[in-house]
Amino acid sequence: MKLEEKKQLVDEIHATLANSSIVVLTNFKGIDVKTMSDLRGKLKSSNVYYKVLKNTLLYRAVEGTHAIGLKSFLIGPNAIAVSSGDPVSAAKILYDFTQGQKNFEIRVGALNGKILNFEDIKELSSLPSREVLLSKVLSAMIGVPTALVMALNDVPRRLINVLVAIKKAKEEA
């Protein structure tokens, strides 16, 4: 790879990292091509960028991004997973993949500038997805006004029931 191509690749990776919410370094040593292709397909369907890079290029690309803390972990073969969307889906896919593969390893991650170890990524993967959390918030927001309307409608209904009972009592008397 020529110097100009390397610079262009570093700039591309830097731009991707600058717009990311989560970055995860993985060790893929010992994974066959078919299995790696399956992982890439799952990640791509969740809009997660996954690429095997030389550490020297990645070392330069993380400069000035929230993933700068990953510099000290750039040893050995690394692949990088970057998501600018939902960080939970990326963590979930990678963690689930580690359960089926003994050779695949999640080394470290960065979530909006905070360094995450394997246990942190495991906890992140157990969270509900963004859509589920949004639906829970929305149902709570809808529930409060609905309960208020029902409470306000209950007062006139009870008053009418009392008036009907009084009318029946007067008619019988």
Side-chain angles (χ1 to χ4, degrees):
M1 189 180 273
K2 295 179 183 176
L3 180 63
E4 199 57 42
E5 292 172 340
K6 289 180 182 179
K7 285 181 181 179
Q8 185 179 3
L9 181 61
V10 167
D11 290 342
E12 175 189 323
I13 302 299
H14 178 81
T16 304
L17 292 172
N19 296 324
S20 68
S21 59
I22 189 168
V23 179
V24 180
L25 274 181
T26 62
N27 182 349
F28 60 92
K29 190 175 181 181
I31 303 295
D32 60 74
V33 174
K34 182 186 179 314
T35 307
M36 193 67 135
S37 295
D38 292 342
L39 174 62
R40 286 177 195 253
K42 289 176 187 175
L43 290 169
K44 189 173 184 176
S45 69
S46 292
N47 295 322
V48 178
Y49 175 89
Y50 190 73
K51 189 153 180 90
V52 175
L53 293 168
K54 286 188 170 189
N55 289 333
T56 54
L57 297 177
L58 194 52
Y59 191 86
R60 289 184 175 98
V62 297
E63 196 68 43
T65 67
H66 71 84
I68 195 162
L70 300 178
K71 274 187 165 184
S72 60
F73 298 97
L74 297 176
I75 299 166
N78 287 307
I80 188 167
V82 182
S83 175
S84 59
D86 183 20
V88 174
S89 64
K92 192 172 296 219
I93 291 169
L94 290 170
Y95 177 72
D96 290 346
F97 191 75
T98 61
Q99 300 309 299
Q101 298 294 322
K102 62 181 179 182
N103 294 333
F104 188 78
E105 172 191 14
I106 295 175
R107 299 192 60 214
V108 67
L111 177 67
N112 295 325
K114 182 180 183 256
I115 298 299
L116 305 172
N117 60 22
F118 176 75
E119 292 301 317
D120 295 333
I121 294 172
K122 180 180 174 182
E123 285 180 34
L124 183 64
S125 72
S126 67
L127 290 175
S129 68
R130 182 177 187 272
E131 290 77 21
V132 172
L133 290 174
L134 286 174
S135 68
K136 286 182 179 183
V137 168
L138 185 61
S139 66
M141 290 172 61
I142 290 172
V144 172
T146 303
L148 177 64
V149 169
M150 290 176 71
L152 291 175
N153 284 340
D154 193 44
V155 173
R157 187 179 53 83
R158 287 183 183 204
L159 177 63
I160 290 172
N161 288 341
V162 169
L163 292 174
V164 168
I166 292 171
K167 178 182 172 189
K168 283 184 181 179
K170 285 187 178 185
E171 287 175 355
E172 290 175 4

